[in-house]
Amino acid sequence: LATHVHDLFLGEILAKCIPPPTVGKPLSRREREVLQLAAKGLSTSQIASLLDISERTVHYYVGNLLSKLDAVNRREAIAKAMATGLIAA
């Protein structure tokens, strides 16, 4: 619960401080799915199993979305995506 509250609070702060992701670099449907599942707290292994893809493919999608969102890790990507409305809170 504390992590969820922290992420929501961080999302509100980031929404005021960061611009939306660069136009022209939209997330793919699969990148958004991976990001939404990561935001729900699922591990790489769980995401891979749920989407019926390999863990390596999950890492590939995460790498792409980190680059597109200019984030250094999953937490930052999730916070930016929530702050900009790319994924539901």
Side-chain angles (χ1 to χ4, degrees):
L1 179 61
T3 301
H4 181 69
V5 171
H6 176 267
D7 289 344
L8 288 176
F9 181 69
L10 182 60
E12 289 178 23
I13 292 172
L14 287 174
K16 297 174 184 171
C17 301
I18 61 167
T22 306
V23 176
K25 292 184 179 182
L27 296 183
S28 71
R29 177 185 58 85
R30 203 57 138 176
E31 290 165 348
R32 284 191 312 272
E33 287 175 333
V34 168
L35 187 58
Q36 186 72 54
L37 293 170
K40 291 181 179 180
L42 275 66
S43 68
T44 297
S45 176
Q46 291 169 320
I47 293 169
S49 178
L50 188 64
L51 297 179
D52 197 29
I53 58 178
S54 72
E55 289 184 32
R56 176 67 190 109
T57 302
V58 173
H59 284 289
Y60 174 78
Y61 288 130
V62 169
N64 284 348
L65 66 90
L66 290 178
S67 177
K68 290 178 179 182
L69 295 174
D70 193 29
V72 296
N73 57 41
R74 287 183 189 205
R75 277 194 179 274
E76 183 180 9
I78 291 165
K80 284 184 174 187
M82 290 173 130
T84 58
L86 288 175
I87 60 171

